[in-house]
Amino acid sequence: MSGARDDLDLLTVCVEIALATAFAKEQNILDELETSAATSLINGLRIIRLQRTILAIGIYSLFESLLQDEMGWPQPFDRLEDSLRSTGHGALADRF
């Protein structure tokens, strides 16, 4: 069994689990939509879309908070790109 994980690692695992669960539910609904156009199925897809939106907003906020706490940056996204580039993560900086 591995040791304790840091907050960023736990956040990553949590996101992976949440997205995998949402994807599986979405796929099940899409399969059911092959034979039925029930309103409940359409609403199910809408719920999954809302869950992903909520997850994205939450991840953004948590990541910002972690950067503030760990790096001591009051405006972390203003400094993140330069920090990534200076540590050899230019491709990741481009994505931000």
Side-chain angles (χ1 to χ4, degrees):
M1 188 162 154
S2 63
R5 295 179 167 192
D6 64 24
D7 288 342
L8 188 55
D9 189 34
L10 289 175
L11 177 61
T12 302
V13 171
C14 181
V15 168
E16 289 172 356
I17 291 169
L19 288 176
T21 302
F23 177 77
K25 287 180 181 179
E26 180 181 48
Q27 193 56 54
N28 288 339
I29 291 171
L30 291 172
D31 290 344
E32 287 186 50
L33 281 170
E34 294 287 328
T35 58
S36 170
T39 302
S40 61
L41 296 175
I42 302 301
N43 285 335
L45 289 176
R46 293 174 67 204
I47 289 168
I48 290 169
R49 185 173 61 189
L50 287 170
Q51 286 176 327
R52 286 184 179 146
T53 300
I54 292 166
L55 182 62
I57 292 167
I59 291 167
Y60 180 90
S61 295
L62 284 170
F63 186 57
E64 181 179 39
S65 173
L66 288 171
L67 287 174
Q68 287 173 335
D69 290 346
E70 298 292 323
M71 304 301 283
W73 298 339
Q75 300 295 325
F77 292 113
D78 291 345
R79 300 191 53 196
L80 182 59
E81 181 179 352
D82 290 338
S83 178
L84 288 171
R85 290 191 191 290
S86 71
T87 58
H89 297 95
L92 184 55
D94 291 341
R95 295 181 74 186
F96 276 95

